[in-house]
Amino acid sequence: MNRLEALLLLGLLLCLSGCTHGVHRLPYDSWRLGLFAPNYMEVWIESADAVDVQERVFRRAMSGIAAISTPKNLKGNPRGWPKEPGSGAGKQVLGADLPRLLYVRWQSLVEPQTYEAYIVIPEATRQAMVVGEKAFCRADAKWITDYRDMLSIGLAPGGVARVWLMGACLPALDV
């Protein structure tokens, strides 16, 4: 092996070892961040940012209008949270490892008032995100192995923020 070949081989090895630095250890490609508001409560999200366990910041992982439900015939109760929260309006957070911190700044259009929340994701929640669970999926009537790969944040008047962890076919867990 001549000197040029050795240098090319060394360069190739360095390039390949550099590619493994950013690889995350999740059993899925990305996790989802969703936001919603209680019945009749409109919310505008200025920014929802995420910080993963490797201290990488994902700015504006979500912004815009939060999901809101309007019950039939306007007969819903505006108080409290739904028994089965949905995933909310959101986006996939691509390239992120497990979340460590979420920051949300939003405007409650009901009051009007601007709020912000720093949400620390507990270790137990992160561990639940990587455990596969057997679940019956009503969408296609099949048993699958599902992961809790969705964080859903409810934003309410008064600056209240509440977080749930869920999977597509798994019930929501209160964070």
Side-chain angles (χ1 to χ4, degrees):
M1 176 180 292
N2 66 27
R3 187 173 181 167
L4 180 61
E5 290 173 334
L7 285 173
L8 287 173
L9 181 60
L10 180 62
L12 178 65
L13 289 174
L14 287 174
C15 286
L16 290 175
S17 66
C19 292
T20 61
H21 175 68
V23 174
H24 56 81
R25 304 161 305 222
L26 301 178
Y28 37 83
D29 293 332
S30 62
W31 49 271
R32 185 176 194 282
L33 178 60
L35 296 103
F36 72 94
N39 294 343
Y40 312 110
M41 307 294 173
E42 292 181 342
V43 168
W44 175 261
I45 302 151
E46 291 181 10
S47 184
D49 306 328
V51 178
D52 71 6
V53 293
Q54 295 182 30
E55 299 301 324
R56 292 179 298 175
V57 178
F58 296 83
R59 295 203 186 280
R60 294 183 66 90
M62 175 56 187
S63 63
I65 299 173
I68 182 173
S69 71
T70 304
K72 290 182 181 180
N73 300 325
L74 301 177
K75 299 278 187 195
N77 184 355
R79 302 185 84 193
W81 299 105
K83 291 179 184 172
E84 295 285 330
S87 59
K91 295 180 184 173
Q92 295 297 117
V93 183
L94 298 169
D97 205 325
L98 293 169
R100 185 184 68 75
L101 176 73
L102 301 173
Y103 168 79
V104 183
R105 181 177 167 90
W106 76 98
Q107 295 177 21
S108 171
L109 302 178
V110 175
E111 295 166 307
Q113 178 71 38
T114 301
Y115 297 103
E116 63 183 359
Y118 292 89
I119 303 162
V120 177
I121 304 299
E123 179 63 28
T125 300
R126 290 194 296 268
Q127 292 305 314
M129 291 179 76
V130 295
V131 174
E133 296 182 41
K134 191 169 186 165
F136 182 75
C137 210
R138 291 182 292 186
D140 58 3
K142 292 182 183 177
W143 284 93
I144 63 165
T145 299
D146 196 11
Y147 291 91
R148 296 182 190 277
D149 58 354
M150 292 186 259
L151 285 165
S152 186
I153 304 173
L155 304 171
V160 175
R162 187 170 172 187
V163 182
W164 289 268
L165 176 64
M166 60 186 73
C169 300
L170 293 168
L173 297 176
D174 201 357
V175 174

